[in-house]
Amino acid sequence: MAETTAGRTSEDRGVVVALEGVGVRRHTNGQTILSEVDWTVRAGEHWALLGANGAGKTTLLKLLGALMHPTTGGVEVLGCRLGRVDVRELRTRIGHVSSAQAVPKDVDARTVVLTGHSGTVQPLWRTYDDEVRGRAEALLAELGVKELAHRPYAVCSGGQRARILIARALMPAPPLLLLDEPFNALDLPSREDLVEAMQRLAESRPDLATVTVTHHLEELFPAVGHALLLREGRILAGGPVGGVLTAPWMTACFGRPVRVVRHDGRWAAYSGSLTGERADIGAEATS
């Protein structure tokens, strides 16, 4: 029996993303980036996407965001098959968060969130009625940054910007939210604020599916119930976190001994002689 969410098994919930036999090759030199990827994400599931640099995480996230097409295989996002749909319309239904995405830097936080409604870099003021403006303010409150509504985005901290960008991505009420290393360069308090914000989001939106690319297990919020490990463009392991985020699989994924610890729904991973014990194959995560 699959894990349950809001009283339903994962099989009962709608498919948000479906990849079958997906491969991606670089056109310039024929290099294989992804190979034979099969993956299904359902409504209400929260996935962690992990792997060493160059494993194919960014390419996989681009496929989910309808930002590129596969070389082989099929990709369906929100019921639309890439290659048979206007990707510009599809992208408006997908929330995408990246610290590198283009947003206006010379406006306040509320304006940045408003641009998520129009899907533009610069604000289109005539498209923002009272309902839209109210929704932007409600999202800032939901992400715990309501007090930043009129603060210039340029002077907000990294953690504050991350939550503002998530609020922006949620403006069109997308069924799928993609987070590309949202914790990048955050200090510990900012990281924990973002973890708590994501947990609240998962609890208040039971049908929202998320995929978070990260290098650190400490950044996973407790609602993350599934994980996908990539190694050299192939899926090494995927499924419920209890069977994937283990010392053996993490060791195989990153190519060095890894110790995995779980406590009160939070994760941590360690490697090297300073951990105090070697993450031998056969070791299990601590509950």
Side-chain angles (χ1 to χ4, degrees):
M1 181 68 69
E3 293 184 334
T4 60
T5 307
R8 291 176 286 171
T9 66
S10 61
E11 284 88 349
D12 293 332
R13 319 197 91 203
V15 173
V16 175
V17 172
L19 283 70
E20 295 183 1
V22 167
V24 174
R25 290 192 299 274
R26 198 180 304 277
H27 296 297
T28 53
N29 58 10
Q31 176 191 1
T32 297
I33 303 173
L34 292 175
S35 180
E36 301 177 9
V37 173
D38 297 309
W39 186 25
T40 300
V41 176
R42 296 180 181 274
E45 291 182 347
H46 302 283
W47 284 77
L49 180 55
L50 298 111
N53 290 336
K57 301 186 301 297
T58 297
T59 299
L60 186 53
L61 209 66
K62 286 182 178 179
L63 291 172
L64 271 57
L67 297 173
M68 65 181 298
H69 290 75
T71 307
T72 58
V75 177
E76 287 195 3
V77 181
L78 304 181
C80 300
R81 189 176 181 88
L82 298 191
R84 301 178 185 174
V85 65
D86 183 344
V87 293
R88 293 170 299 181
E89 188 279 331
L90 178 58
R91 288 169 191 159
T92 66
R93 300 164 54 202
I94 303 169
H96 204 140
V97 176
S98 169
S99 59
Q101 67 192 113
V103 295
K105 302 293 196 299
D106 56 346
V107 298
D108 61 26
R110 189 187 70 157
T111 301
V112 171
V113 176
L114 284 170
T115 62
H117 174 76
S118 50
T120 56
V121 175
Q122 296 299 326
L124 299 181
W125 292 108
R126 277 183 273 183
T127 68
Y128 309 146
D129 58 20
D130 289 342
E131 187 277 330
V132 171
R133 294 170 190 250
R135 184 151 34 96
E137 293 177 357
L139 283 167
L140 286 169
E142 187 175 3
L143 271 298
V145 285
K146 180 180 180 179
E147 74 281 1
L148 303 179
H150 301 293
R151 179 178 298 182
Y153 180 78
V155 302
C156 291
S157 69
Q160 291 167 342
R161 289 188 183 189
R163 285 183 281 166
I164 292 166
L165 291 179
I166 292 171
R168 179 182 187 271
L170 292 172
M171 276 298 287
L176 174 63
L177 180 63
L178 308 175
L179 301 118
D180 189 2
E181 298 189 46
F183 298 87
N184 187 34
L186 299 188
D187 60 20
L188 190 147
S190 297
R191 183 193 74 189
E192 293 304 294
D193 286 343
L194 185 52
V195 166
E196 292 175 4
M198 288 303 303
Q199 182 65 20
R200 291 194 304 270
L201 199 65
E203 293 170 352
S204 64
R205 298 168 182 258
D207 288 324
L208 176 67
T210 69
V211 177
T212 303
V213 173
T214 181
H215 288 285
H216 307 288
L217 298 191
E218 294 83 355
E219 296 172 351
L220 301 182
F221 50 99
V224 173
H226 294 76
L228 193 75
L229 303 184
L230 285 181
R231 182 174 173 85
E232 298 179 351
R234 293 177 178 267
I235 293 179
L236 184 65
V241 289
V244 175
L245 299 183
T246 64
W249 282 124
M250 292 291 287
T251 294
C253 183
F254 290 98
R256 62 180 294 165
V258 177
R259 178 191 177 202
V260 179
V261 177
R262 188 181 192 184
H263 180 69
D264 290 340
R266 296 293 300 277
W267 296 86
Y270 310 90
S271 182
S273 59
L274 296 181
T275 62
E277 66 181 90
R278 187 176 180 273
D280 294 314
I281 295 298
E284 296 181 356
T286 303
S287 299

